[in-house]
Amino acid sequence: MGGKTKQAPRTKNNAKPSSSSRSAELLGSTTPVFVGFSAQADGNLVPFAPGFASAEQMPETFDVNISPQTQIILRKLSKKDPMTKKKALQELHELITESDLDTLKNILPLWPKFYHNLATDIEHAVREQTQLVLQLLMSKCKRAMAPYLKQLVPVWLASRFDNYAPAASIASNSFRETFARTCEVCLHCQSEIIEYTTRNLTFHTPATLSIGKNLKPEESEQKYQRVVISSLKELSFFMEHTAPAEDVEQLRQGLVTLLAHQKFWTFAKHKQPAIKAAWFECIYHMLQCSKLLEVLTPQKSQLITTSFQFIDDADPLVAPHVWGCVLLLQSNYNDWYAPLNIRKALLPKLSTLLSNAFNRNAQAICPNLLPFLSKITPDSLQGLDIYEFYQRFFDNLKAAIVGPHDPPLSKSDTSIMHSSYFECLRFMLQQINNDAGRTELVEQFAFGLLEQQLLQPIGQLLLSENAHAKYFFQHTSALVAFWDRQCNNESNKSSCSLYVKLLNVFWTRIFEMVTQHLAAEDVNEQWLSHVLLLVQDLHVANPSLETQCVKFLEADVEVTTSEKTSQPSTPSKKGDGYAAFIQKELKQLVVKLVRICLDKANSSNNSARYIHQIRTLTKMFADAEFYKSLTDMAELEATLDKFVVLLEQMNNEACEAVVEILFEMLALLEPAQRFDYIAQKLLKLQQHRVQNLLLHRLLSYPLCTEPAVRQMLASPETCAIISRIAEEVVVDNNRDKLNLLHKCFFQTDTGDILINAGTVDKIVLAMSAPLEQPPSNDMVEVCGSFIAQIMPVICSQANSSLAVRQQVFLRLYKFSLEQRVGDHLSEDTLWEITTCWQDALSSKDIEIDDVLLRSCAEIVEELANNAELNAGSLESMAEAMAKFVICSTENIEDEPQRLTRIDETIAALLSSELKTDETVLQFERHCVYLETLQESISAGVAFDHADLNEHKILPLLRRVALNFTTICKLVCRVENPQLAPQTNEGEDELTEDYCDPNANVLKQWSESIITEILQSVKVASTAETWMEVNSQLTGSGEELVLCLSEQIRSFMANSSELVDIIKERMKQAAVQQDSVMSCRQLGYLIYYSQYAAFEESATILLHEDLAELFVSQGALKAYVMTLQHMLPKLSQKALNLNSAIMRTEPPDMWVKAAVFRCLLLNNFQSDLNEQTDRNIIASALQFLTRVGEQQNAQKELLHYNVELLTQPYESVLNTVEIIQLLNEILQRFPHELTIKNWDAIRIGLSSWVLTVSKSIIHYSDPKTSFFIVAVFQLFATLINFIRSEKQKSSTEMLKNVVDEWESLFAREVNVVLFKAYYQLTHDTTVQPESRVCYEALLERLMPALELLDYSFVYGFCKAPNSKVSLDHLCNLLLKQLHSSQHSVRMNAVQALRQLTPHFVADDIMVNDKQNDNLEAASSTICKWHFLNRFEDYLTRYDALMRKYLEEFSFKLTDLEDLEPIDRHDAFSYLLIWDCIINVCAKSPVALRSVYTSWLNENRYEENFLHFLFRAMPLASIEG
């Protein structure tokens, strides 16, 4: 059909293609190929066991009851690809899991064939999955598998020993889970097991096991080795578990056949250690069973020769089994040595094995040495002298133990080698000792063993750096202790005569070795440490062995061996008792060593090396006789003096050891003598370290309880030492010294402490000093914790002076207020310190008098002025202050007296110079002024100044926030306090340590507390205003304001009668109409419970209630001021002509104007309005018309052309509100204005600017500032309207209004406003406290100034008779380019841009004239043009920028080190160049040439270009 040519079928590791027909053929083969043991006459082979067939003998067809899916899976199992078989096994596993028993019974007859094939597969994953399938089958089918067990068990048992651990583990687990009695299963299948293993070991080869597998040679070999190992181990397993059986005839016959086959013996010499180990393990189990010994008899000689041939095998797998066979051969056959040539076959191998440290296989071989040695007899040595053998044996073993090894032996090998060595040595000497008929020659042999095998190695190890010397010394001590015990326990001394002689020789030689080397002038450090190690081991010597592999009998020799091996033995301190020589020979040796070391220490420059050794030795014996024997006088005092002399020469760590020895000896004296010696000699020592150690001893139990010690501690010398230690602790933070100070405050049963009050004062003052420093290290935490712990002690029973207690209390109190958790101060320590002084107050250990209260208040005042305080710090401080108030008064039982004291304490803590009534009033006026300027609201309360130093505001707010938070802690309940968890009975019960947070809340509130709260609320309201109008507020300042405001809101939401009182007082204050903030603060009432529940509608409800209150009481001013602050939060159209205020007739004009303005703002903010809204506009215009008529009658009503300073505040406020109402209407409804209204605006504005001109000099007067801003705003609104109207078609009336404005009013209004601005900014000196108000005023004027027409200003200044010349004008604007106020700078730039065309036009005329007169042109080129006015300012800026240019060299390597440029100076410099470039751009070519020539001649351009490069970002320059 045009497709590709069909390729040949794929092949894989075989010559024929894969096909389902071939698979079916293989499955259906009927000719048995698998061979068995017996052959037929025709030469064919039959299966070796019923039901077993080869891998290829698979069924051609399956039972009809087997599902097609199962048949497919079974066919896959015979595939050659491992992955296919693995997936098929997984599918079979899933199938078995999902199938029931009846379904599974159909495949059970087939499973043994597949299992036999797959369990020995070359791929380990297939074998693992096969075992999983068998495990699942056995668990599901159980008894249904019984008919097939004999086919499965042989292979199943072999799989237990698979070299792939997961497969072996699964097979073992499944076998153990299936069969509870292994022996019965093995006996049931013994015929099959024996035949299976025998055939694998005698018939099969790698080739026969791989028929039809197409395996690589190495794969075939691996499979064969695995089958051999598992078969040998299976046979061992079978023999081990069937050993108790009576009838072993079938096994015996099978083993006869196996042992007769020569191939079986080749496995003993196989190159693979695993096969060799499995073979010897199998032989071991044969030898272990007495019923099978006769089977081995024909091969006895071969077996002995083979076993002893491999006695030096070092493989850890092989060696244990080889030695097990050797020991069983020795035990089972008395003539075991007959087939061997001992001299040639055994001794050389044994010597090599021992001297080579068992070829690093000591763990496997060493436990067998003693049983092996016990079977060596003179006959077995075939003529060799037995003592010669012993000598050779021990020499070789000693060489392995003492000699060097590269690399070093492991600890486990070293330990077990020592154990075996000393077991054999003890056994050998015990044999000689128990031989009553021993000859002199034999005894000499025993002494030789002692000298050569024990003493000589000790001598070598003392001088060597062998790290394993400790093992030799430990076992030596145990051996010597064993001899000693035998000598002391035996009533018949003749039975241990050899031990007596050996002990005498041992101690004589030890004394010689130790004293000989120690007498040398320079003692080797390594030798000295090894001597101590030996002495220590002898001191704890125990004759018993913790774990024995041989039982030593004291009367005769009997060796009991275990079946195979045993664990190594190690000496132990626990046993039958310590050796008797410890109090005799060893004590003498220690005395000798101590005396020599003492002499060495006194004469040596490095006495410390000997002191540590002396201390180690003296720990062994601490009795009086021992210490007396250390000097020739044999008196304790003489020994004490000797150590004191030694102590006087030292001041290092070794002092501690000497002091320990001294006090051990002092404990042996009589009390009077002991304390006299301490006082007269020890305390006179001057070394600081020694003094510390002595003091530590005196302060420790039990000495500290002695009256004599108390007297010593009270002495001036001891007090000086303790004071010195306290001063050192705060410097070096030494833990030992700190512990010593703690001991000083140990309390006796009577509550007294160990030191006097004077010493206590010095300690606590020194230790509390770091609390006054910022936490820079751990010392603050250490000292704080120390003081907190000892505070109850020093405050009780006059243990310290009152002045010091109070001083320490103040330090702790200040620390709690000031410090916060950080890197060097943990939360636990801070809590500990805070709780400490609170407990002192609560327990009346510290009583607060007036003087101490003032000191506490001063601390609060000092910390409250800290600029680093944040909201979290204030909260913590307030918590501590509230606790101070409660704790200091809670013990006053008389309630009125307690409340009075609480008021006094609160007043003292909360009073502050930072928060006086005058400061609060100044802050309020200041913020009212700023808000009135910026937000155009009504400052309805008269005030004459608003100046305030900005630096006073944040301290004021911090103090108010601190005070208010403190009061809240005292008066506010904690809502829903966390109770203790429920008990088992389900009842809410408070635990013993539960503290009700509302227990100490004040229930009665004094007038001072209420006044403080009201003041805090007012300050918080003022602070919110300050935050809204201050654009340069820092993050910390904003956080402080928000924190205070949130505290007020939280307080107002608290359910308390106090909040009700505060609410009423706030309303009363507003009704008084004497403070703007009293009205503004009413906004906090929306958080009051009465309104808070209504959420978004809370403001509307509050407004309605306040409107009713104020209108009913005639407080209309208060209503207007409150309304203006609440207006942004009121919903649209919340006000209308039917509101309560509209039904009144306010006596003040500004109230009416302000109400109308609020109506307009509330009703005309949205894009859509109703027809009825025109009534509001009409009412407003009608009101303005009436005002205009009143102005006609009263000429000064609206302050036309008057000076405002002398005018009443409220009259000016009336005019300001009228102007603002006009401004609002002009912005929103200009087309609704009538001609009368326009006349009022034009005439009014032209008259009001004259008032501004007359009053501008008094700009600091609040009412004047409000008026100026209102007039400038009205001017800006009017100009914007006129400019917009000129851009579009308009009504005839409006055209006439605009024309009349421009022809009659525009020039005068623009000039007068500029003159007022000039007067405001020219040579004006502003005081620091007025700077903020002055800048706020300028900020509000800038929008109007930007709309000035400078053509009128230019003409005015150019007039000959003008007081403000063009020079004045330019100087003003150029000077303002460097103003710190951004809006002023930008206004100056805009003004210069407007003036540039006029100046350029003049320069063009002058330039034309200059061109006519060349001589004049050359002489005056730099003096006539506009840019010449910039010269002075450019020169000043060049001087400012020069410091940045001098260090700039265009080198990239120097760019990172350049000084940052001042942004203000740089921006001003760029602005003046912007103006210069604009001048050049606006000028014609000829004039521009003049300008550029002037710039070039003065090098201004060059400096500017350099500065541009210098000011570029670093990345731009590098690019």
Side-chain angles (χ1 to χ4, degrees), residues 537-708:
D537 288 331
L538 287 169
H539 182 255
V540 297
N542 191 318
S544 63
L545 297 177
E546 188 175 26
T547 305
Q548 301 172 357
C549 66
V550 175
K551 179 182 179 182
F552 293 98
L553 298 182
E554 299 173 6
D556 55 357
V557 181
E558 180 181 332
V559 180
T560 304
T561 62
S562 62
E563 288 184 350
K564 183 178 175 183
T565 58
S566 177
Q567 293 296 323
S569 61
T570 56
S572 172
K573 291 192 289 185
K574 302 172 184 178
D576 300 332
Y578 294 111
F581 64 75
I582 294 176
Q583 292 298 328
K584 295 183 291 185
E585 291 87 354
L586 182 60
K587 190 172 186 179
Q588 296 172 15
L589 177 61
V590 171
V591 169
K592 184 72 174 176
L593 288 173
V594 173
R595 294 186 68 168
I596 295 175
C597 288
L598 272 174
D599 295 337
K600 294 279 185 185
N602 280 314
S603 59
S604 173
N605 293 329
N606 185 15
S607 59
R609 59 179 294 200
Y610 297 103
I611 294 301
H612 293 299
Q613 318 301 347
I614 292 171
R615 181 58 189 139
T616 303
L617 292 169
T618 55
K619 286 180 180 179
M620 300 179 190
F621 306 97
D623 56 282
E625 293 302 321
F626 170 76
Y627 282 115
K628 288 178 180 179
S629 62
L630 296 182
T631 59
D632 296 333
M633 299 176 64
E635 293 182 358
L636 273 179
E637 286 215 19
T639 307
L640 284 168
D641 292 340
K642 192 167 188 177
F643 277 98
V644 170
V645 171
L646 181 61
L647 194 59
E648 289 176 341
Q649 305 171 6
M650 304 165 60
N651 195 22
N652 50 35
E653 294 180 358
C655 293
E656 184 174 358
V658 178
V659 171
E660 287 180 2
I661 297 172
L662 285 172
F663 275 87
E664 277 187 5
M665 287 188 284
L666 287 170
L668 302 173
L669 294 175
E670 293 296 326
Q673 188 180 4
R674 179 195 314 152
F675 297 127
D676 182 66
Y677 193 90
I678 294 173
Q680 298 302 322
K681 291 194 175 181
L682 296 185
L683 289 180
K684 302 298 183 183
L685 297 175
Q686 297 301 312
Q687 298 96 318
H688 286 179
R689 184 185 293 271
V690 175
Q691 290 176 346
N692 295 353
L693 293 170
L694 292 174
L695 194 59
H696 187 275
R697 287 280 175 172
L698 293 177
L699 290 169
S700 300
Y701 186 84
L703 284 178
C704 63
T705 61
E706 299 289 344

Side-chain angles (χ1 to χ4, degrees), residues 121 127 141 164 273 281 342 437 502 612 733 736 812 1008-1009 1095 1176 1217 1240-1241 1247 1257 1331 1426:
D121 195 271
R127 301 200 302 275
C141 297
Y164 182 58
E281 183 181 3
I342 296 297
L502 291 174
H612 293 299
N733 191 14
D736 293 333
L812 294 173
S1008 60
I1009 291 179
E1095 298 179 353
I1176 298 176
E1217 283 298 331
I1241 292 173
S1247 303
I1257 192 172
R1331 170 61 60 181
F1426 178 38

Side-chain angles (χ1 to χ4, degrees), residues 240 326 445 909 963 1147 1176 1390-1391:
E240 179 183 0
V326 167
F445 174 75
L909 293 178
N963 289 5
I1176 298 176
Q1390 185 174 2

Side-chain angles (χ1 to χ4, degrees), residues 701-722:
Y701 186 84
L703 284 178
C704 63
T705 61
E706 299 289 344
V709 172
R710 299 286 298 278
Q711 293 178 1
M712 292 182 205
L713 294 174
S715 65
E717 295 83 0
T718 310
C719 293
I721 294 173
I722 297 174

Side-chain angles (χ1 to χ4, degrees), residues 882-1147:
K883 290 290 186 182
F884 175 85
V885 173
I886 297 301
C887 293
S888 62
T889 58
E890 65 179 350
N891 287 313
I892 302 176
E893 297 180 356
D894 184 65
E895 186 63 16
Q897 185 181 353
R898 188 178 79 88
L899 293 175
T900 302
R901 187 57 181 171
I902 288 176
D903 289 341
E904 293 173 354
T905 305
I906 292 176
L909 293 178
L910 303 190
S911 62
S912 171
E913 295 181 357
L914 303 174
K915 186 190 67 65
T916 62
D917 293 340
E918 180 62 27
T919 306
V920 172
L921 181 59
Q922 289 179 356
F923 181 47
E924 178 185 352
R925 290 175 173 176
H926 179 72
C927 292
V928 168
Y929 176 86
L930 295 178
E931 185 181 30
T932 303
L933 289 184
Q934 184 167 321
E935 304 295 336
S936 298
I937 64 171
S938 305
V941 179
F943 60 105
D944 55 3
H945 70 278
D947 300 338
L948 178 64
N949 191 331
E950 284 279 296
H951 299 297
K952 293 182 179 181
I953 297 178
L954 285 179
L956 168 65
L957 296 182
R958 276 194 295 270
R959 189 61 212 237
V960 171
L962 176 63
N963 289 5
F964 185 75
T965 307
T966 303
I967 290 178
C968 286
K969 300 286 183 184
L970 292 170
V971 302
C972 292
R973 293 180 55 84
V974 177
E975 302 296 336
N976 300 322
Q978 296 293 325
L979 297 179
Q982 292 186 353
T983 60
N984 294 334
E985 290 78 11
E987 299 178 358
D988 293 336
E989 295 181 0
L990 300 181
T991 58
E992 292 182 1
D993 57 349
Y994 174 73
C995 180
D996 184 3
N998 296 319
N1000 295 318
V1001 172
L1002 298 181
K1003 307 298 191 301
Q1004 300 180 36
W1005 314 285
S1006 63
E1007 186 62 31
S1008 60
I1009 291 179
I1010 295 174
T1011 302
E1012 186 71 35
I1013 293 174
L1014 290 171
Q1015 188 182 64
S1016 300
V1017 174
K1018 180 178 288 189
V1019 172
S1021 178
T1022 308
E1024 284 193 8
T1025 301
W1026 180 63
M1027 182 177 67
E1028 292 170 1
V1029 300
N1030 191 340
S1031 60
Q1032 299 179 350
L1033 187 61
T1034 61
S1036 59
E1038 184 176 355
E1039 180 189 19
L1040 190 59
V1041 174
L1042 293 176
C1043 170
L1044 178 57
S1045 179
E1046 184 59 34
Q1047 284 283 358
I1048 300 295
R1049 294 170 184 173
S1050 177
F1051 171 78
M1052 296 304 298
N1054 199 274
S1055 57
S1056 168
E1057 294 180 5
L1058 178 61
V1059 179
D1060 299 336
I1061 295 174
I1062 297 300
K1063 182 198 72 169
E1064 294 303 322
R1065 292 287 189 92
M1066 290 169 65
K1067 291 182 177 180
Q1068 293 173 15
V1071 171
Q1072 298 298 321
Q1073 303 187 131
D1074 57 359
S1075 169
V1076 176
M1077 286 303 161
S1078 294
C1079 301
R1080 191 192 196 284
Q1081 69 186 11
L1082 294 176
Y1084 284 125
L1085 293 181
I1086 63 172
Y1087 303 101
Y1088 180 64
S1089 57
Q1090 177 183 349
Y1091 304 106
F1094 295 95
E1095 298 179 353
E1096 296 180 358
S1097 302
T1099 304
I1100 298 175
L1101 295 175
L1102 177 61
H1103 167 257
E1104 293 175 354
D1105 289 348
L1106 292 177
E1108 183 178 351
L1109 171 68
F1110 291 138
V1111 170
S1112 63
Q1113 297 193 18
L1116 302 183
K1117 296 179 183 178
Y1119 171 75
V1120 170
M1121 291 186 288
T1122 303
L1123 175 62
Q1124 288 180 329
H1125 290 110
M1126 296 178 67
L1127 193 62
K1129 297 180 182 180
L1130 286 177
S1131 60
Q1132 284 291 306
K1133 301 186 182 301
L1135 297 176
N1136 52 56
L1137 294 176
N1138 295 323
S1139 298
I1141 187 67
M1142 301 305 295
R1143 297 192 296 270
T1144 64
E1145 188 61 33

Side-chain angles (χ1 to χ4, degrees), residues 66 193 249 277 339 428 491 633 732 801 813 836 874 961 1010 1052 1141 1172 1379 1425 1461 1479:
I66 299 178
I193 293 172
E249 183 60 31
M428 193 72 257
S491 57
M633 299 176 64
D732 58 20
S801 64
Y813 179 67
C836 164
L874 289 173
I1010 295 174
M1052 296 304 298
I1141 187 67
T1172 55
S1379 171
H1425 56 76
I1461 298 176
V1479 170

